[in-house]
Amino acid sequence: QVELVESGGGLVQPGGSLRLSCAASGSILGTYAMGWYRQAPGKQRELVASITRGGNTNYADSVKGRFTISRDNGKNTVYLQMNSLKPEDTAVYYCKLTIIRDYWGKGTLVTVSS
């Protein structure tokens, strides 16, 4: 079985930065595609950023240039560096790992407010 645990969320002022981490554990014997999604109350869950097994990255237009996804293969951990945060970035951020199915973490809340 696979478990994902997100951390690093919190309250930050507009223009500030946060670094989210997602640690994967369990039956993981290689490198797999991972991604960050977010969901605000009353809205659908949306893709924020993803990284393939080969290291290629993809970002939502709304975060491009502000967020950076990266991974540490040795630690089975993926990161999301979030800079220049805006109030509209407020959401629960979820980590996803894809092997033969999607595995999800429980999420970490990011609140951007003055």
Side-chain angles (χ1 to χ4, degrees):
Q1 296 184 352
V2 174
E3 182 180 18
L4 304 178
V5 179
E6 301 98 334
S7 62
L11 174 64
V12 65
Q13 294 184 2
S17 298
L18 284 174
R19 179 177 166 91
L20 305 183
S21 298
C22 173
S25 63
S27 301
I28 305 172
L29 300 179
T31 302
Y32 300 92
M34 299 184 72
W36 288 96
Y37 290 71
R38 67 186 181 187
Q39 186 169 25
K43 294 188 176 182
Q44 298 184 45
R45 185 173 298 186
E46 63 176 351
L47 173 68
V48 176
S50 62
I51 184 166
T52 69
R53 297 179 64 175
N56 294 325
T57 58
N58 183 61
Y59 299 91
D61 289 340
S62 60
V63 307
K64 195 171 298 182
R66 300 187 296 120
F67 291 10
T68 302
I69 187 171
S70 62
R71 71 192 309 157
D72 184 332
N73 294 332
K75 296 181 179 179
N76 290 320
T77 300
V78 66
Y79 305 94
L80 185 68
Q81 178 66 45
M82 304 184 294
N83 298 326
S84 302
L85 283 162
K86 305 175 181 179
E88 49 263 43
D89 294 319
T90 297
V92 176
Y93 284 71
Y94 298 91
C95 177
K96 185 183 78 171
L97 166 68
T98 300
I99 302 180
I100 59 174
R101 53 153 286 186
D102 291 341
Y103 295 88
W104 293 89
K106 295 180 180 179
T108 184
L109 177 63
V110 172
T111 302
V112 185
S113 176
S114 60

